[in-house]
Amino acid sequence: MTTAREIMTGGAECIGAQETVLEAAKKMTELGVGALPICGTDKRLKGMLTDRDIVVKVLGVGKDPAEVKAGELAQGEVVTIGADDDAEEILRTMSEHKVRRLPVIDGHTLVGMVAQADVARALPDPKVGDLLQALSTD
């Protein structure tokens, strides 16, 4: 069975919890991504920051992105997948938590990201349809 390590995009970069949302937005632009894992000074995952979070939780409410720290937007427990978990487990996790991107960890180390498109390429069509349906419903 295909594992997360085989389908992930490696070399995922974190934004530090103490870095500003403006710095995060610049990093997203530089990397061409719509989400960044938030890491603490201990290099452990603290949350995820999406471009939508920046728009809705910062810009949309009149906050200054140069003042808001990325860590302020990390909420709840981070949903992750293990590097050796199979595509079926990734599918279950994405569907259950209604997330389109998952940080891939090996122990406590961030090793990559798996996106909905990565899973879609790795699974047979009916399973992809199930994932899309699960992510599209509230």
Side-chain angles (χ1 to χ4, degrees), residues 64-128:
D64 182 351
E67 298 295 321
V68 178
K69 303 292 185 208
E72 293 174 40
L73 300 180
Q75 37 183 319
E77 189 176 329
V78 186
V79 179
T80 63
I81 197 77
D84 296 318
D85 288 344
D86 66 32
E88 293 282 341
E89 181 62 23
I90 300 167
L91 175 71
R92 274 191 299 279
T93 303
M94 284 183 163
S95 298
E96 182 179 322
H97 295 280
K98 295 192 180 287
V99 294
R100 289 175 167 78
R101 302 171 191 96
L102 284 172
V104 180
I105 57 170
D106 192 352
H108 293 290
T109 305
L110 177 69
V111 293
M113 293 287 289
V114 171
Q116 176 181 343
D118 300 322
V119 180
R121 284 189 292 270
L123 290 172
D125 288 344
K127 300 236 182 244
V128 172

